[in-house]
Amino acid sequence: MPLIKSVIKGLKILEFIANSTSPPTPLQISNALGMNRTTVYHFIQTLESEGYVTRENQANAYALGLKILPLVGKALDCNKLRIESLPYLQGLNRKLEERVNLGILFDSEVLFLAGIEKPSLPMMYSHFGKKAPAHCCSIGKIILAYMPEKEAERVINEKPLIRFTENTITDLSLFKRHLSEIRSQGYAVDNAEHISGEYCIATLIKGEEGRGIGAVSASSDNLEKLDQHLDDLFETAEIISHLMGFRVR
């Protein structure tokens, strides 16, 4: 199927703006993506005229525009996994009194579909749209562990095993053995591998064919507390799996 290259360029510019820690300039976008500066500027002008990007504080830097929000909202409202999971994430959040998350594997990274902060913080559905590296995130590790071996290898090879903390596993053979251990125990732990001092435990959500389609996790600065609620995590994942069509044969 023929691809429209100009559309791909426009989407790459939009993604770069979305993923930047601060609003980038056309020059920064041009240098990062290897595109002609004039071409980038014309794309940005078009996106700005349609409301998909906006100029920040009259500076020559751009951020996502409000036109994006209805699209994001519609995508979230149409996602069955997220909609079915939200009430049970709330219940888990009340039991643990810690942040709980719902995520999937997308584009070889963890993509968060929902999250609820600990009750001591303002109640909100957070984290949706955020990404995390699969090799040091409990959600990513549990999904990878239950993938067919060749498929998991493809995903792992697409992203380097970058070190984020002293606990991050960056050796490929060691990481594969780690996935085998996760399959044996049935859950995955982020042992402060992504962010120092932050721990996370995840259990798998299965779909109709029994394949892992996502995971539910709980995060805390206290790993022992998370361990005490492992049964609650399993129960939540089992309920959501049932709602998503999984049946034990």
Side-chain angles (χ1 to χ4, degrees):
M1 181 177 64
L3 301 178
I4 303 174
K5 292 183 179 180
S6 60
V7 174
I8 294 174
K9 285 182 179 179
L11 291 173
K12 285 188 178 297
I13 291 170
L14 202 58
E15 288 176 356
F16 183 83
I17 293 172
N19 292 325
S20 297
T21 53
S22 59
T25 65
L27 179 59
Q28 289 171 327
I29 297 171
S30 173
N31 291 338
L33 299 181
M35 293 184 188
N36 178 274
R37 185 180 178 184
T38 303
T39 301
V40 168
Y41 187 70
H42 288 160
F43 271 110
I44 288 177
Q45 281 188 314
T46 304
L47 291 168
E48 184 182 19
S49 70
E50 294 298 314
Y52 290 101
V53 301
T54 182
R55 187 179 299 189
E56 285 287 289
N57 301 322
Q58 302 303 313
N60 192 32
Y62 292 84
L64 292 182
L66 295 178
K67 194 74 168 284
I68 293 289
L69 293 180
L71 300 180
V72 174
K74 186 65 175 178
L76 293 173
D77 289 343
C78 291
N79 187 281
K80 183 181 179 183
L81 177 58
R82 181 177 186 272
I83 296 302
E84 297 286 10
S85 299
L86 285 178
Y88 301 98
L89 294 180
Q90 281 185 309
L92 186 63
N93 172 262
R94 285 194 293 267
K95 275 187 179 180
L96 274 63
E97 297 186 335
E98 296 288 353
R99 189 174 77 240
V100 298
N101 311 288
L102 173 72
I104 61 173
L105 205 59
F106 177 75
D107 197 22
S108 300
E109 293 182 290
V110 172
L111 175 65
F112 290 99
L113 297 182
I116 304 178
E117 296 295 348
K118 58 169 57 180
S120 59
L121 297 175
M123 181 61 70
M124 63 180 72
Y125 296 107
S126 63
H127 284 7
F128 50 80
K130 291 188 179 295
K131 293 180 179 180
H135 71 285
C136 56
C137 172
S138 62
I139 287 178
K141 292 198 289 183
I142 190 69
I143 297 174
L144 284 171
Y146 282 89
M147 269 185 175
E149 187 175 352
K150 287 187 177 180
E151 188 177 346
E153 279 199 14
R154 177 189 59 78
V155 172
I156 294 168
N157 290 333
E158 284 185 359
K159 302 286 183 179
L161 303 182
I162 297 173
R163 181 176 298 282
F164 289 89
T165 74
E166 61 180 13
N167 293 341
T168 308
I169 301 174
T170 57
D171 180 84
L172 184 57
S173 60
L174 184 60
F175 183 68
K176 288 181 179 179
R177 289 199 298 272
H178 182 55
L179 292 181
S180 179
E181 293 169 359
I182 290 171
R183 280 194 300 275
S184 298
Q185 66 189 18
Y187 64 95
V189 177
D190 167 3
N191 185 31
E193 296 162 50
H194 187 207
I195 300 173
S196 296
E198 289 196 16
Y199 305 91
C200 193
I201 295 181
T203 50
L204 190 69
I205 298 172
K206 298 178 181 179
E208 291 182 11
E209 303 300 323
R211 286 174 59 94
I213 59 172
V216 58
S217 72
S219 305
S220 175
D221 58 4
N222 187 335
L223 182 57
E224 185 178 343
K225 180 180 180 180
L226 295 180
D227 283 333
Q228 293 171 357
H229 288 280
L230 187 56
D231 286 343
D232 294 316
L233 272 164
F234 273 118
E235 181 182 9
T236 301
E238 287 172 6
I239 292 172
I240 297 171
S241 296
H242 180 80
L243 293 171
M244 297 305 294
F246 174 66
R247 300 291 183 269
V248 178
R249 291 184 175 88

